[in-house]
C-alpha cells in the first residue's frame, strides 16, 4: 500500500478541529422555506410513502429499472441494490412506520454476499444506503462489520501506479483495467466510514488519492466533466477522456456531473481539504449555468438537442442532495435555493402520479441514452435521492441519523 500516514494527516490538517454538530445541515438555509414549497415537498414525500406502502410488501429482489412502468429486478442487486433498502429507510424516517424498517432490514440482508465482491467499484452504492444506514439506525454491529468488509473489498481495486480505483471488470481481467469513471466519487464515503470505524488510515488514504486523481484529470476549464477517463493500467499514465453513458468524450453527462458534485463535497466533509470543496463548486457552477429553466436536467448538458432533449430526473435528484451539502459547506445559500427548486420541480413534474399502474415514484429518467437503454423510465436511485433530498430540507436531523451529514476531519 502506497498511502502514507503523512498523506492522510496532510489532508486533515486543513480541517476544522472538531466535528460539526448535526445542526450544521440547517444553518445554510438562512430562512425557513416558503409554506408553498414545504407543502409541495411534503405532498411528494406523502405520495412516495403511499406508493411504497402499496408496492414494497411484494418486492422480493432489487429494482433495477422499470419496463412498462413495472419494476424489473436483479436477484443480487447489480450495482443499484443499496437504493431499495435505502429508499425504505427514508420512508421509515419520514413516516415512523416500523413496516418500512422491517422491509429495509430484510432487503439489506440479501446483499450480504456482495460484501466480498471485488469485481465492482459500486460497493459504496450497495452498502452505504443499506448497511451503513442499518447500523446507524439499529446499532447492531453486524451491519457495521459488513460495511467495513465491503470497504476492504473495494480497496482491492486500487491501482497504486495511477492512484485510482478501477471502475469495471474483474481484477484479473485486462479489459477496462485502466478505466476510471466519475461515478466512483460516490463510492468513496464507504472508505471514509471504514477508516473511522477501524482507525486504519488506509481506507481514507485510498479515497483521498483517488479523489485527487479525478480532480486532476476530469474537470475541464469550464467545470464540465467527461463520464470516463482512461489510464495505462501498467504505468498509471493518463490516456484521455472517454464516455459510455454520455453523448461523447467531450460532452457532459448530467448524472455523472451530479455524482461529481455530491462526491467531491462529501470528500471535503470527510477531510476538510479545501481543494475538494473548490472542485465541487466548479462542477456545480457549470451545471447550474447549463440547467434549463424547468430545473430538470437533460441527460447530457452538451448533447446537440439540449436543452430540448430527453430529461434525467435522477440527475436532478442526485444534484439536489449534493447542492444542499455544498450550501452548508460553503455558507452560500444560493446553492440551497437551487437545490430546493430542483426538488420542487421534480415533485411537481416528474412523479408517477398520473399512472395507476406505475410501481416507482419518479418518472422521466434516462439510464443510458447512447445504448438506447432506459429512456423515459423510472430508476431506483431517482426514488432514493428524491426522498433523501426532501428529508434533508424537511427533517435534516433525521437524515443525519441515517447517513451522517456532519463534518468529520
Amino acid at each position: 500500500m502506497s498511502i502514507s500516514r503523512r498523506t492522510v494527516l496532510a489532508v486533515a490538517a486543513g480541517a476544522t478541529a472538531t466535528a460539526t454538530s448535526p445542526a450544521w445541515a440547517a444553518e445554510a438555509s438562512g430562512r425557513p422555506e416558503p409554506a408553498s414549497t414545504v407543502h409541495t415537498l411534503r405532498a411528494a414525500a406523502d405520495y412516495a410513502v403511499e406508493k411504497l406502502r402499496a408496492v414494497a410488501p411484494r418486492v422480493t429482489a432489487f429494482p433495477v429499472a422499470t419496463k412498462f412502468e413495472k419494476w424489473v429486478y436483479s436477484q443480487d442487486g447489480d450495482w443499484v441494490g443499496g437504493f431499495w433498502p435505502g429508499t425504505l429507510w427514508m420512508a421509515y424516517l419520514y413516516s415512523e412506520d416500523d413496516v418500512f424498517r422491517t422491509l429495509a432490514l430484510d432487503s439489506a440482508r440479501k446483499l450480504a454476499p456482495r460484501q466480498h465482491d471485488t469485481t465492482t467499484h459500486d460497493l459504496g452504492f450497495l452498502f452505504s444506503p443499506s448497511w451503513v444506514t442499518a447500523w446507524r439506525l439499529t446499532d447492531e454491529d453486524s451491519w457495521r462489520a459488513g460495511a467495513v468488509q465491503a470497504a476492504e473489498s473495494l480497496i482491492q481495486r486500487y491501482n497504486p501506479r495511477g492512484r485510482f480505483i478501477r471502475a469495471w471488470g474483474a481484477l484479473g481481467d485486462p479489459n477496462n483495467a485502466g478505466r476510471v469513471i466519475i461515478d466512483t466519487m460516490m463510492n468513496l464515503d464507504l472508505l471514509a466510514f471504514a477508516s473511522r470505524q477501524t482507525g486504519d488510515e488506509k481506507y481514507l488514504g485510498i479515497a483521498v488519492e483517488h479523489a485527487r486523481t479525478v480532480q486532476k484529470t476530469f474537470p475541464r476549464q469550464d467545470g464540465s466533466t467527461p463520464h470516463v477517463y482512461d489510464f495505462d493500467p501498467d504505468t498509471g499514465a493518463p490516456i484521455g477522456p472517454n464516455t459510455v453513458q454520455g453523448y461523447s468524450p467531450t460532452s457532459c453527462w448530467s448524472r455523472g456531473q451530479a455524482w461529481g458534485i455530491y462526491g467531491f463535497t462529501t470528500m471535503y466533509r470527510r477531510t476538510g481539504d479545501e481543494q475538494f470543496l473548490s472542485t465541487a463548486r466548479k462542477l456545480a457552477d457549470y451545471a447550474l449555468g447549463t440547467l434549463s429553466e424547468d430545473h430538470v436536467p437533460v441527460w447530457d448538458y452538451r448533447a446537440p438537442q439540449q436543452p430540448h432533449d430527453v430529461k434525467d430526473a435522477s440527475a436532478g435528484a442526485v444534484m439536489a442532495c449534493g447542492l444542499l451539502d455544498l450550501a452548508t459547506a460553503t455558507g452560500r445559500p444560493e446553492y440551497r435555493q437551487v437545490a430546493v427548486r430542483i426538488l420542487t420541480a421534480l415533485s411537481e413534474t416528474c412523479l408517477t402520479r398520473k399512472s395507476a399502474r406505475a410501481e416507482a415514484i419518479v418518472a422521466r429518467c434516462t439510464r443510458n441514452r447512447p445504448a438506447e437503454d432506459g429512456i423515459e423510465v423510472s430508476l431506483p436511485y431517482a426514488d432514493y435521492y428524491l426522498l433523501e433530498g426532501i428529508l434533508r430540507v424537511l427533517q435534516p436531523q433525521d437524515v443525519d441519523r441515517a447517513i451522517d451529514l456532519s463534518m468529520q476531519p
Side-chain angles (χ1 to χ4, degrees):
M1 195 64 61
S2 63
I3 308 302
S4 68
R5 177 178 176 84
R6 179 176 296 176
T7 296
V8 177
L9 293 177
V11 170
T16 55
T18 58
T20 309
S21 71
W24 79 276
E27 290 171 358
S29 60
R31 63 186 66 177
E33 302 300 337
S36 59
T37 298
V38 172
H39 174 78
T40 297
L41 297 183
R42 195 165 293 284
D46 290 341
Y47 174 76
V49 166
E50 289 310 306
K51 177 67 69 175
L52 289 166
R53 212 184 295 279
V55 172
R58 62 177 183 266
V59 172
T60 59
F62 298 99
V64 175
T66 54
K67 186 174 184 179
F68 305 121
E69 300 184 286
K70 300 295 185 182
W71 284 123
V72 175
Y73 297 100
S74 165
Q75 291 301 314
D76 73 351
D78 197 77
W79 74 271
V80 299
F83 295 119
W84 179 248
T87 301
L88 295 170
W89 280 126
M90 293 298 112
Y92 165 68
L93 291 174
Y94 181 74
S95 68
E96 299 182 341
D97 186 340
D98 282 337
V99 169
F100 292 121
R101 182 184 187 276
T102 299
L103 291 171
L105 290 170
D106 290 345
S107 178
R109 287 188 189 99
K110 295 183 175 69
L111 290 172
R114 300 296 300 277
Q115 65 189 283
H116 302 286
D117 187 352
T118 61
T119 68
T120 178
H121 72 120
D122 286 314
L123 291 164
F125 284 132
L126 288 168
F127 283 88
S128 290
S130 57
W131 284 51
V132 172
T133 295
W135 173 70
R136 289 179 63 83
L137 294 178
T138 69
D139 203 31
E140 294 178 13
D141 191 64
S142 59
W143 300 111
R144 184 198 65 84
V148 170
Q149 174 57 53
E152 182 66 29
S153 298
L154 178 56
I155 65 171
Q156 305 310 308
R157 302 182 65 77
Y158 180 66
N159 183 319
R161 295 174 295 279
R163 298 185 176 183
F164 61 79
I165 295 171
R166 170 184 179 169
W168 295 322
L171 294 180
D173 186 349
N175 295 320
N176 294 314
R179 179 145 284 193
V180 177
I181 64 175
I182 191 70
D183 317 39
T184 308
M185 288 300 304
M186 288 294 291
N187 291 306
L188 301 182
D189 199 35
L190 181 66
L191 301 182
F193 171 81
S195 279
R196 292 197 304 274
Q197 295 305 311
T198 65
D200 192 333
E201 298 161 351
K202 67 180 181 181
Y203 303 104
L204 179 59
I206 286 175
V208 167
E209 292 296 346
H210 178 89
R212 284 178 171 166
T213 298
V214 173
Q215 186 178 56
K216 292 175 184 175
T217 52
F218 275 72
R220 305 183 184 105
Q221 187 172 3
D222 64 358
S224 64
T225 59
H227 176 208
V228 173
Y229 207 98
D230 288 319
F231 295 80
D232 184 316
D234 297 321
T235 67
I239 295 173
N242 212 320
T243 198
V244 172
Q245 288 173 264
Y247 176 77
S248 76
T250 59
S251 72
C252 184
W253 177 49
S254 61
R255 191 162 68 249
Q257 192 78 2
W259 296 138
I261 294 165
Y262 197 168
F264 273 109
T265 307
T266 300
M267 283 302 293
Y268 167 73
R269 290 201 288 112
R270 301 308 182 216
T271 66
D273 189 327
E274 293 286 344
Q275 292 184 5
F276 292 151
L277 184 62
S278 177
T279 299
R281 288 194 60 192
K282 186 174 183 179
L283 270 56
D285 291 346
Y286 173 82
L288 298 190
T290 313
L291 193 63
S292 52
E293 290 185 4
D294 65 0
H295 286 84
V296 181
V298 294
W299 73 279
D300 190 303
Y301 292 124
R302 287 183 168 177
Q305 294 180 337
Q306 73 85 26
H308 307 293
D309 211 331
V310 295
K311 299 290 189 175
D312 182 10
S314 74
V318 174
M319 182 163 68
C321 292
L323 290 173
L324 290 170
D325 259 4
L326 192 57
T328 301
T330 60
R332 291 180 173 268
E334 57 266 31
Y335 289 128
R336 180 184 175 90
Q337 291 162 8
V338 177
V340 172
R341 286 194 206 109
I342 292 171
L343 293 171
T344 302
L346 298 180
S347 298
E348 291 176 337
T349 68
C350 296
L351 300 189
T352 58
R353 284 192 178 105
K354 294 182 179 180
S355 173
R357 60 177 279 116
E359 292 184 335
I361 299 162
V362 181
R364 303 182 72 192
C365 299
T366 300
R367 182 162 60 182
N368 188 339
R369 179 74 189 275
E372 296 296 318
D373 173 22
I375 300 171
E376 291 290 342
V377 297
S378 296
L379 297 168
Y381 33 97
D383 288 4
Y384 171 77
Y385 286 109
L386 177 69
L387 272 178
E388 179 189 310
I390 289 174
L391 264 67
R392 279 173 173 263
V393 175
L394 299 181
Q395 299 170 209
Q397 71 285 355
D398 289 324
V399 179
D400 182 73
R401 288 171 52 211
I403 62 174
D404 187 4
L405 303 182
S406 66
M407 285 278 296
Q408 290 189 333

